[in-house]
Amino acid sequence: MISKLSWILFIPLTLAAAFFKLARTILPDNSVFGLSDMMLDYLVIGCVALIFLFALILCLCDRKISKYYIPHRNFAAGIIGILLALVMAADGANTFYGVIGADKVDVLAIIEAIMLVFAAIVFVVMGLTHSFSNKEKKTFGLLYVAPALLCAVRLIRCFVEFTTISITTADVTRLFCYIFATMFFFNYAVTLSLTEAKHAVKSCFIYGFPASAALISYAAGNIYASFDTENIMNNAQIAEIALMGLYILAFLIELSVFVKDKDHVVIEDQDDIGYKDIHDGEVSDSEDFVVTGLEDEERSDTPASSYLSTADTGDFLYQATKDDKSRESSYYKSAANDVGDYITDEVESEYDKDGKTKKSYTDQLDEIDKLILEISGDK
């Protein structure tokens, strides 16, 4: 599966993006190749865009990757998910408190606070699932969309905020963080809920790599530059961005290790799509799922005509008959008598009773003439 080759450019370009983001805040202006802060931000965006394009090309060329995936036990993703849930819950409560104390009602802030609470619940569930179980339930499929909706709301708030300030002072890399994060978490929700989609697993690679690169590089630069030591809650959004990036990175590592190709996944029941994974000689079965996988060894050992040798015909209605020659001869006699209704001409044999070749009609004319002459001569 060539989708995994996306790591080749992801690692160096992510490090480069983090360096350019840190250089803007740590180093003096124009100290990196004489580039301004805005040009360094564009370099960060360029690195993220290259990661996206490289992953997109590889995933589009990948014909073997399966469209279904069940998350496995991942302690790193579980711990990061629980920490992210705690930060989101605290940020949501703080946002509610700020909206109540404000003079005017901010609709986007209220929606963001609600989505923070739902996203916190989702990350608690996913964190516990990653840590203690390798089975996902389809019952939480709708809740999985909450992180994607949260990132979409924050993307809208970024656009609204940038309309009130100069573009030269705006940090446009935050837009790319939420754009790719929204797309990743949406496809991540589709993958976890086992919704039938052709490219959900591929999309996790396509959007996950640039999302992780953008989130980690943005957090690396802003934690150092704008960390608030007086009011810790002002750092909640930057902490969420950093933890999101690490969570996506942990899941991409897991996905790269455990994802299967489509030849090892067979859908048995379209009405109740699910998954039964066979690996390392052990069957990992999930309660709601009916998809089975076959290893290459099992495929090669299974004969093509195994159904004929193993099928149970005990319940079939059939009767064995003996080879009766008298019945066979009577059948052909009756079949011969039924040809009277057909339009056919009787064809005589080319041989007479003695086995000699019969003469043709023209050869027989001379003998008839001779016989007529003899009879006429006698008279």
Side-chain angles (χ1 to χ4, degrees):
M1 289 175 285
I2 61 176
S3 298
K4 300 178 182 180
L5 298 178
S6 302
W7 288 96
I8 296 175
L9 278 186
F10 169 75
I11 295 175
L13 288 179
T14 301
L15 294 176
F19 168 75
F20 292 137
K21 197 65 180 177
L22 283 170
R24 174 184 174 179
T25 58
I26 297 175
L27 301 178
D29 294 341
N30 302 322
S31 60
V32 181
F33 307 114
L35 300 175
S36 62
D37 292 344
M38 181 177 291
M39 294 301 297
L40 291 175
D41 283 345
Y42 288 149
L43 285 178
V44 174
I45 296 173
C47 292
V48 174
L50 285 176
I51 293 173
F52 169 71
L53 291 175
F54 188 66
L56 177 63
I57 293 172
L58 291 179
C59 290
L60 289 178
C61 296
D62 193 349
R63 303 294 183 182
K64 295 183 177 181
I65 191 170
S66 173
K67 61 181 180 179
Y68 296 104
Y69 175 72
I70 289 294
H72 291 65
R73 187 168 296 173
N74 189 339
F75 290 106
I79 295 172
I80 296 171
I82 293 174
L83 291 176
L84 181 58
L86 294 176
V87 176
M88 284 184 172
D91 190 16
N94 185 59
T95 304
F96 269 121
Y97 180 77
V99 170
I100 294 173
D103 296 334
K104 60 179 181 179
V105 178
D106 190 347
V107 178
L108 285 176
I110 295 175
I111 296 174
E112 181 181 353
I114 295 173
M115 297 313 303
L116 279 168
V117 174
F118 279 107
I121 296 173
V122 171
F123 279 111
V124 167
V125 174
M126 291 192 296
L128 294 175
T129 303
H130 281 300
S131 301
F132 301 107
S133 175
N134 60 350
K135 295 180 181 179
E136 291 284 347
K137 304 294 183 182
K138 295 172 68 175
T139 53
F140 294 103
L142 293 177
L143 286 178
Y144 289 143
V145 188
L149 296 178
L150 171 63
C151 293
V153 171
R154 285 192 167 172
L155 178 63
I156 297 173
R157 293 199 70 181
C158 285
F159 278 112
V160 174
E161 179 184 343
F162 289 167
T163 56
T164 60
I165 60 177
S166 175
I167 191 64
T168 57
T169 59
D171 192 352
V172 292
T173 55
R174 184 152 53 111
L175 289 175
F176 285 83
C177 290
Y178 289 123
I179 289 173
F180 287 112
T182 301
M183 297 304 299
F184 168 79
F185 281 116
F186 175 77
N187 289 281
Y188 184 47
V190 174
T191 302
L192 293 184
S193 60
L194 290 177
T195 303
E196 187 175 4
K198 292 183 178 180
H199 307 296
V201 177
K202 284 184 179 181
S203 297
C204 288
F205 281 114
I206 295 173
Y207 298 110
F209 283 110
S212 180
L215 292 167
I216 291 175
S217 60
Y218 178 85
N222 285 273
I223 286 177
Y224 179 84
S226 57
F227 187 82
D228 192 347
T229 56
E230 296 181 359
N231 189 354
I232 300 299
M233 290 308 303
N234 291 337
N235 304 310
Q237 188 169 347
I238 298 177
E240 291 164 7
I241 290 176
L243 291 172
M244 278 185 188
L246 294 175
Y247 179 85
I248 295 173
L249 180 62
F251 176 75
L252 290 175
I253 295 173
E254 174 197 329
L255 185 63
S256 301
V257 174
F258 294 107
V259 68
K260 288 186 173 294
D261 57 63
K262 62 182 180 180
D263 294 334
H264 291 79
V265 177
V266 179
I267 303 174
E268 291 185 343
D269 188 359
Q270 291 286 357
D271 296 332
D272 188 15
I273 296 176
Y275 193 92
K276 183 184 290 182
D277 188 12
I278 300 179
H279 56 89
D280 298 332
E282 297 180 357
V283 179
S284 176
D285 196 359
S286 186
E287 298 174 0
D288 301 329
F289 308 142
V290 290
V291 177
T292 60
L294 293 177
E295 294 295 341
D296 295 333
E297 294 79 5
E298 298 181 16
R299 292 177 181 273
S300 59
D301 295 339
T302 303
S305 60
S306 60
Y307 172 78
L308 299 177
S309 60
T310 59
D312 185 9
T313 59
D315 297 331
F316 292 141
L317 298 177
Y318 68 95
Q319 181 179 1
T321 58
K322 295 181 179 180
D323 187 10
D324 193 350
K325 294 184 179 180
S326 61
R327 289 181 58 190
E328 182 179 356
S329 59
S330 63
Y331 168 77
Y332 286 110
K333 289 180 180 179
S334 62
N337 296 330
D338 293 338
V339 300
D341 296 333
Y342 293 97
I343 302 177
T344 58
D345 294 330
E346 184 178 359
V347 180
E348 294 183 354
S349 173
E350 297 179 0
Y351 302 94
D352 56 12
K353 295 181 180 179
D354 298 333
K356 297 181 180 181
T357 306
K358 291 183 178 181
K359 295 181 179 181
S360 64
Y361 175 75
T362 55
D363 294 336
Q364 293 178 4
L365 287 177
D366 295 337
E367 295 180 0
I368 294 173
D369 294 337
K370 291 177 181 180
L371 182 59
I372 294 174
L373 290 175
E374 291 177 359
I375 295 174
S376 60
D378 293 337
K379 293 181 178 180

